[in-house]
Amino acid sequence: MLALLLLSGCSAAGSKPAVEDLSLALAGMDGKDTVSFEGSAALLIAGKPVPESALYYGGKVQDHTRISLYSLLPDENRETRAAAEQGMKKLGESKAAAPASYTRLEKKNGEWQLHQSAAASGSGEAGRLAALNPLQQLEELHQSDKQVTVESGSSGGTRVLRIRISPEEAKRQLAEELEREMQAIRPDAATAGQSAEVRAAMNALWVQKSGELKQRIKEAEVTSVYFLKVDTRRSLPKRLTWTRTIRYPGAADPADTEAYVTKVDFYGYQ
């Protein structure tokens, strides 16, 4: 009985270990020049979704180093239309799910960066879309300190891998993301039309809020769990879901528990 439990927790009898499945799926995606994706993201506070935080998005990866990302308007059922599967050009013409914003990313020196035109626009929505880059998520999965297991019930040519990032790594990733976001909104020291006093006051406020945020992160408990559905016939990712939960020990208010949830489907491999 113990042996059966151990096998079920790590991999099915006679099958590859879960970590190997993950490595093969990531290598399989790396071997494709083009892939499209479509997903959604939302923030939950005390287990309840925050409506204004919901974001539906799609995009396309080309040549491993270029990504186009765009947000989508939901239909009446809060889902994106299947027209997106017909490609970005068709999607752009669709009245059911028209692009609401758009940005591009390029990989340079091993880092994903906003394309020059997107960076120059200074759009907060562009930065939010960039944070949903699924290739960057998969790359971080490969590099992170993690535990990988197979979910029971995986069948039909697919396996579902559960990937739990170590608490230390999850907190480090969160701190880095928030630092990038804070730097993106740091007041410009040379903003035209502002007096030195106004710029100084704005910078002082930014420094204060940045310090408060860092302290909150230091006190928080961060849990980061991914579920990756893998097409075992082709060793390619089909769906990636992610939940990051932030809790504050000793907090009596349930509203102090936050969860950020994303789901992205991959299709159109070439």
Side-chain angles (χ1 to χ4, degrees):
M1 180 63 72
L2 178 59
L4 289 174
L5 290 173
L6 289 173
L7 284 171
S8 65
C10 298
S11 61
S15 64
K16 297 184 295 292
V19 173
E20 186 178 342
D21 265 333
L22 176 60
S23 297
L24 287 172
L26 298 181
M29 172 172 272
D30 194 50
K32 299 296 183 179
D33 292 327
T34 302
V35 60
S36 299
F37 57 88
E38 185 178 331
S40 59
L43 174 68
L44 285 74
I45 296 180
K48 297 180 180 179
V50 179
E52 58 268 26
S53 73
L55 177 66
Y56 300 83
Y57 62 97
K60 190 172 186 178
V61 182
Q62 293 180 296
D63 301 326
H64 311 289
T65 59
R66 292 179 290 127
I67 294 181
S68 301
L69 278 155
Y70 47 88
S71 61
L72 301 168
L73 299 177
D75 63 17
E76 295 177 355
N77 297 317
R78 307 296 293 174
E79 299 289 345
T80 51
R81 297 283 188 182
E85 298 181 2
Q86 300 176 25
M88 293 181 66
K89 181 178 179 180
K90 179 68 175 179
L91 179 64
E93 300 169 351
S94 169
K95 296 180 180 180
S101 62
Y102 173 84
T103 193
R104 288 185 292 168
L105 301 172
E106 291 182 319
K107 195 171 188 179
K108 296 181 178 180
N109 301 319
E111 298 289 335
W112 287 103
Q113 302 173 12
L114 282 173
H115 188 270
Q116 185 176 1
S117 59
S121 71
S123 168
E125 187 72 3
R128 188 182 178 198
L129 282 171
L132 293 167
N133 177 0
L135 251 64
Q136 183 169 340
Q137 290 181 334
L138 290 170
E139 290 167 357
E140 289 177 349
L141 277 183
H142 179 64
Q143 300 166 3
S144 296
D145 179 19
K146 57 189 174 294
Q147 180 185 33
V148 186
T149 56
V150 178
E151 287 290 281
S152 61
S154 299
S155 61
T158 64
R159 298 183 85 187
V160 178
L161 308 179
R162 183 181 187 273
I163 305 134
R164 181 184 176 91
I165 307 301
S166 71
E168 297 79 14
E169 179 73 5
K171 181 177 285 194
R172 184 194 65 78
Q173 291 178 358
L174 173 62
E176 287 186 354
E177 289 177 22
L178 293 179
E179 177 64 20
R180 287 194 296 268
E181 291 179 11
M182 287 300 295
Q183 290 297 331
I185 63 172
R186 187 165 193 165
D188 191 339
T191 302
Q194 288 185 345
S195 66
E197 291 79 6
V198 170
R199 291 197 298 270
M202 292 179 63
N203 189 65
L205 179 62
W206 181 91
V207 171
Q208 176 190 338
K209 295 301 181 183
S210 179
E212 292 174 356
L213 184 59
K214 289 178 180 178
Q215 184 60 35
R216 289 280 285 176
I217 296 173
K218 188 179 296 185
E219 298 170 353
E221 290 181 351
V222 184
T223 302
S224 187
V225 178
Y226 291 84
F227 290 90
L228 179 64
K229 178 182 282 189
V230 177
D231 180 340
T232 54
R233 296 187 179 93
R234 299 190 297 163
S235 292
L236 290 172
K238 289 177 64 69
R239 170 176 290 178
L240 179 68
T241 60
W242 172 46
T243 301
R244 171 191 278 157
T245 305
I246 305 173
R247 298 183 180 87
Y248 298 94
D253 189 350
D256 284 330
T257 298
E258 302 175 6
Y260 187 63
V261 181
T262 69
K263 180 191 74 172
V264 58
D265 292 312
F266 302 97
Y267 59 94
Y269 285 98
Q270 294 181 10

